[in-house]
Amino acid sequence: MATQTDVRDLHAVGSEEDQAGQAYFDKIIADDSRIEPADWMPEGYRKTLTRQISQHAHSEIIGMQPEANFITRAPSLKRKAILMAKVQDEAGHGLYLYSAAETLGTPREELFDQLLTGKAKYSSIFNYPALTWADMGAIGWLVDGAAIVNQVPLCRASYGPYGRAMVRVCKEESFHQRQGFEILLELANGTEAQKQMAQDAINRFYAPALMMFGPNDDESPNSQQSMRWNIKRFSNDELRQRFVGMIQEQVKVLGLTLPDDQIRFNEETGKWEYGELDWNEFYEVLKGRGPCNAQRMERRREAHENGAWVREAASAYAAKQSQKAQVA
Amino acid sequence: MATSDQTAMSTSAKTPAAEAAHPVDRSSWPLWEVFVRSARGLSHVHAGSLHAPDAEMAVRNARDLYTRRNEGVSLWVVPASAIVASDPDAKGAFFESPQGKDYRHAMYYKKSEGVKHL
């Protein structure tokens, strides 16, 4: 059992190492270089990244659900194939991100467990229902569009494995956004009812998509630290304004409108402005009281449990083969 | 010498595997590092990692995960535990010797400037 002195000694040794580590870490951040898994890093940096990357991974995995639900209802074989490719991509993105999160020291099973037990959060956008085929369009255009605006700067995040995962994700994400836009464009040029369906989908997904960038800057205390660590490169509001500027232009091509009559470009600030968002709703959904939270979690647990026999069989087969190899 | 994110982690990770809230239904599968040859004539390059129960599943999963868009013509999967990495704590010291040895580079030799085909 450690005596009082032992503990102090240990602590002294640790802190000296920590000081050297901190100095090296600070220099790498100041040089805008990259931190790699074996480097010393402050506990807060490790924790923040583990939380952010794993939540990001969980969002990709839960994000498979609204679109997977529509694979059987997609209007053509081509659209089914596209949707399957997209859902497969989301699974892939989840796996890239889990790998990156794992390099910070938390095992994969523990990350899965945090999602399944509801301990970890995922993006609130996936707790909204997808009601019509037009929603597949709105999700691709607005939800994946917002994700791209958020993710492109993350390719330069100071943590190497995260940045590398994001490069891979961003390359694949633009297909998602374009196919969504095309779904809406086709509906917008269809019958009056189809046009209405597209407009309705945009009306429902506009505000939740804007809220994907997170709370306003003055309500987001962790952002400051993340920006000092070069994890985040732009604030939530900066990214949101940028996104509004993009979609207000794109919606004209669709011949549809955004459900916000306060969108305007402020010449003085050089920024896009938009109407007040309902942040109470955002926090309600975040706390688990959104329209689909319970359903999404139930499906996820179901899928995990129903897949157990496959994982067990694969493990058993691997064990048997390696035993055979040892005997031979 | 090859280095990998996860191998490096295993030498420095301080976080012990925490107790799961409910029992995990599989013993954890080994980690594999994936290398992809993007075209004939090029080397295999590290693409990322994945978990799989055995080598065969690792290759199949690597195909599904890292070559969905014709990114590769050949794959290597290597158990992460088999990779030997340089000591992460040695920082620069291990790689310092080339410093001050500019003469190893062609640019060091200036007098021959302007001489053709040299």
Side-chain angles (χ1 to χ4, degrees):
Chain A
M1 195 182 182
T3 65
Q4 200 64 25
T5 340
D6 289 336
V7 171
R8 224 184 1 245
D9 283 352
L10 280 173
H11 188 74
V13 171
S15 74
E16 203 174 284
E17 254 176 42
D18 285 352
Q19 275 169 17
Q22 180 81 49
Y24 190 72
F25 175 88
D26 289 345
K27 189 179 177 309
I28 288 180
I29 296 293
D31 293 347
D32 200 2
S33 181
R34 298 292 178 267
I35 301 294
E36 293 295 341
D39 292 332
W40 185 96
M41 61 187 90
E43 249 343 276
Y45 181 82
R46 189 185 297 275
K47 255 196 195 150
T48 299
L49 277 166
T50 304
R51 195 188 58 228
Q52 182 172 336
I53 302 173
S54 62
Q55 281 182 6
H56 198 157
H58 302 329
S59 302
E60 300 282 357
I61 298 300
I62 296 287
M64 295 163 77
Q65 291 187 33
E67 290 169 310
N69 289 342
F70 265 88
I71 290 173
T72 54
R73 285 175 280 171
S76 69
L77 191 57
K78 186 185 81 176
R79 291 291 179 193
K80 282 188 214 298
I82 292 173
L83 211 48
M84 279 194 281
K86 185 170 189 285
V87 172
Q88 196 189 12
D89 274 355
E90 313 290 1
H93 297 175
L95 293 176
Y96 304 151
L97 287 158
Y98 280 129
S99 281
E102 250 184 313
T103 64
L104 292 156
T106 309
R108 182 84 53 116
E109 276 74 17
E110 202 180 319
L111 299 172
F112 283 167
D113 218 61
Q114 287 171 356
L115 173 63
L116 295 171
T117 56
K119 210 180 132 203
K121 295 207 174 350
Y122 55 85
S123 178
S124 59
I125 191 77
F126 301 115
N127 291 318
Y128 290 89
L131 303 176
T132 69
W133 172 247
D135 287 18
M136 297 301 100
I139 288 174
W141 177 45
L142 294 174
V143 175
D144 291 307
I148 291 172
V149 170
N150 209 6
Q151 287 167 357
V152 167
L154 288 174
C155 295
R156 293 187 291 129
S158 59
Y159 188 57
Y162 192 27
R164 292 193 284 275
M166 291 321 300
V167 168
R168 215 167 264 284
V169 169
C170 284
K171 269 188 199 161
E172 300 177 354
E173 203 77 58
S174 49
F175 133 61
H176 297 182
Q177 194 189 15
R178 282 190 176 206
Q179 66 86 34
F181 190 81
E182 270 195 32
I183 290 175
L184 291 176
L185 193 62
E186 220 148 298
L187 290 172
N189 290 315
T191 64
E192 193 49 39
Q194 286 174 324
K195 194 173 172 181
Q196 260 317 307
M197 192 197 268
Q199 183 62 59
D200 172 64
I202 293 173
N203 291 351
R204 281 180 290 109
F205 277 94
Y206 168 77
L210 256 57
M211 289 194 262
M212 283 173 68
F213 294 97
N216 289 330
D217 292 348
D218 47 4
E219 298 286 327
S220 179
N222 297 331
S223 286
Q224 294 290 327
Q225 181 59 65
S226 280
M227 286 174 82
R228 278 196 292 274
W229 277 331
N230 290 345
I231 298 172
K232 251 176 115 79
R233 299 285 176 166
F234 302 97
S235 78
N236 295 353
D237 286 333
E238 279 174 310
L239 293 170
R240 189 165 19 242
Q241 285 150 3
R242 189 180 301 174
F243 180 61
V244 168
M246 290 175 183
I247 59 172
Q248 65 79 32
E249 203 53 48
Q250 293 164 351
V251 78
K252 292 176 192 163
V253 180
L254 295 174
L256 301 170
T257 56
L258 297 174
D260 184 345
D261 54 13
Q262 293 179 60
I263 294 176
R264 61 180 274 270
F265 186 70
N266 186 328
E267 296 281 354
E268 276 167 40
T269 59
K271 285 174 182 163
W272 283 93
E273 292 174 356
Y274 44 86
E276 194 64 40
L277 294 165
D278 182 1
W279 290 106
N280 284 334
E281 178 185 304
F282 176 79
Y283 288 112
E284 280 296 296
V285 177
L286 208 62
K287 281 176 197 152
R289 292 190 283 269
C292 295
N293 295 57
Q295 180 194 328
R296 300 285 189 242
M297 287 303 294
E298 202 185 310
R299 282 294 106 73
R300 183 65 214 121
R301 288 193 196 105
E302 231 172 57
H304 190 74
E305 283 159 23
N306 291 344
W309 72 270
V310 179
R311 297 191 294 273
E312 280 159 22
S315 291
Y317 181 79
K320 206 164 129 190
Q321 291 301 311
S322 92
Q323 246 172 10
K324 262 192 199 164
Q326 273 170 14
V327 172
Chain B
M1 194 184 295
T3 61
S4 77
D5 296 344
Q6 268 77 14
T7 315
M9 178 212 84
S10 66
T11 59
S12 70
K14 284 163 191 150
T15 324
E19 296 289 320
H22 59 72
V24 170
D25 61 359
R26 60 168 157 139
S27 55
S28 73
W29 288 344
L31 188 69
W32 304 78
E33 297 297 336
V34 179
F35 298 79
V36 179
R37 183 202 292 283
S38 57
R40 293 188 161 275
L42 298 176
S43 317
H44 287 77
V45 174
H46 185 236
S49 59
L50 52 80
H51 288 271
D54 57 31
E56 195 188 335
M57 286 297 287
V59 172
R60 282 167 184 264
N61 291 353
R63 176 200 58 191
D64 293 346
L65 190 55
Y66 291 105
T67 63
R68 287 196 299 282
R69 289 176 175 76
N70 285 325
E71 288 96 336
V73 295
S74 166
L75 281 171
W76 287 349
V77 295
V78 181
S81 59
I83 291 178
V84 180
S86 57
D87 180 4
D89 292 329
K91 295 270 174 343
F94 188 71
F95 299 101
E96 252 161 28
S97 64
Q99 272 180 20
K101 294 181 180 172
D102 298 356
Y103 50 81
R104 286 172 184 260
H105 297 277
M107 292 301 292
Y108 175 80
Y109 304 91
K110 307 278 186 208
K111 287 182 183 164
S112 49
E113 247 167 54
V115 180
K116 280 184 182 168
H117 306 301
L118 193 67

